[in-house]
Amino acid sequence: MTHSAGGRRVTANLALSLDGRYHGPDGAGDFRAFAPYVTTEVARNHLTRIWEGATTALLGRVNAEGFLGYWPSVAADESADPRDRGYAKWLVETEKVVLSTTLAEAPWEHSRVVNAPAADVVAGLKSTGAGDILVNSSVSVIKALLSADLLDRLYLMVLPEIVGGGRRLFDDGLPRSAWRLAHQETGDLGEIALVYDRAR
């Protein structure tokens, strides 16, 4: 396992459509095309892979509040898929850093709010502690770290749907970077779990 300077690896996870979008044309809550794929064997195994080495979750405000409404109940649900439950328990119990300019207090336990640029926050986190820093599906944070070339690993689920509208992860103007494929797995529905490490 390679780590960049500063000891801790910075990772990020996101699901993307075939045309590179992280939601559909009807706005940030449009996940109709994504829904059939998030509970597949490949997706659930990928979810476990994402958090296993991570000790800090870095979140934007929207995801922090959205996750709070969903994952704690999964952590407590004994009938939930063990992989979903494993991730949920990790998310509840791990250190969470929430980037926000508007929140006055942390939305849930083991979390703190930081009003600072993502690159500065990551630099601070990398200088202390151990384990991966996971940017947990928070696109605004992922984009900022891609722009600053501070991501060491990308966990991507690529789904076999062209959604035809919505926001893209990889905007024009990003610095050029090369990535090495560390893992790939294809599911029965045509979804592909990909793990890319930054080649430095």
Side-chain angles (χ1 to χ4, degrees):
M1 196 181 294
T2 58
H3 294 272
S4 61
R8 301 182 73 183
R9 186 169 58 175
V10 185
T11 70
N13 69 295
L14 201 62
L16 298 174
S17 65
L18 211 51
D19 50 344
R21 303 175 197 276
Y22 54 89
H23 64 67
D26 291 336
D30 181 2
F31 294 110
R32 289 168 301 173
F34 295 70
Y37 305 97
V38 295
T39 56
T40 66
E41 288 297 299
V42 165
R44 282 187 158 131
N45 290 340
H46 193 61
L47 186 65
T48 300
R49 197 176 297 120
I50 286 161
W51 67 263
E52 274 182 326
T55 55
T56 302
L58 187 57
L59 298 158
R61 176 188 61 81
V62 173
N63 270 26
E65 293 179 331
F67 287 178
L68 178 58
Y70 180 73
W71 287 108
S73 62
V74 176
D77 181 0
E78 292 183 9
S79 65
D81 184 283
R83 292 161 295 187
D84 291 357
R85 204 164 174 218
Y87 168 76
K89 284 179 160 179
W90 171 81
L91 188 58
V92 168
E93 293 166 9
T94 201
E95 174 193 32
K96 290 170 285 293
V97 178
V98 181
L99 296 178
S100 175
T101 58
T102 56
L103 281 180
E105 57 186 53
W108 50 340
E109 59 185 339
H110 308 299
S111 65
R112 59 190 169 97
V113 176
V114 181
N115 181 355
D120 295 349
V121 173
V122 161
L125 288 170
K126 287 184 74 159
S127 67
T128 59
D132 291 352
I133 300 159
L134 170 63
V135 184
N136 206 346
S137 303
S138 294
V139 179
S140 60
V141 182
I142 297 172
K143 286 187 174 193
L145 297 179
L146 280 171
S147 293
D149 195 18
L150 288 173
L151 284 179
D152 302 308
R153 169 168 277 196
L154 281 169
Y155 295 99
L156 299 175
M157 282 292 302
V158 178
L159 313 176
E161 304 257 353
I162 293 172
V163 296
R167 302 282 303 277
R168 285 194 170 98
L169 173 60
F170 299 110
D171 293 326
D172 287 352
L174 287 173
R176 183 167 181 257
S177 58
W179 298 77
R180 185 177 64 255
L181 184 64
H183 182 87
Q184 67 175 355
E185 192 176 351
T186 306
D188 294 339
L189 300 177
E191 76 281 16
I192 306 175
L194 297 165
V195 182
Y196 282 107
D197 285 330
R198 178 75 172 91
R200 299 189 190 277

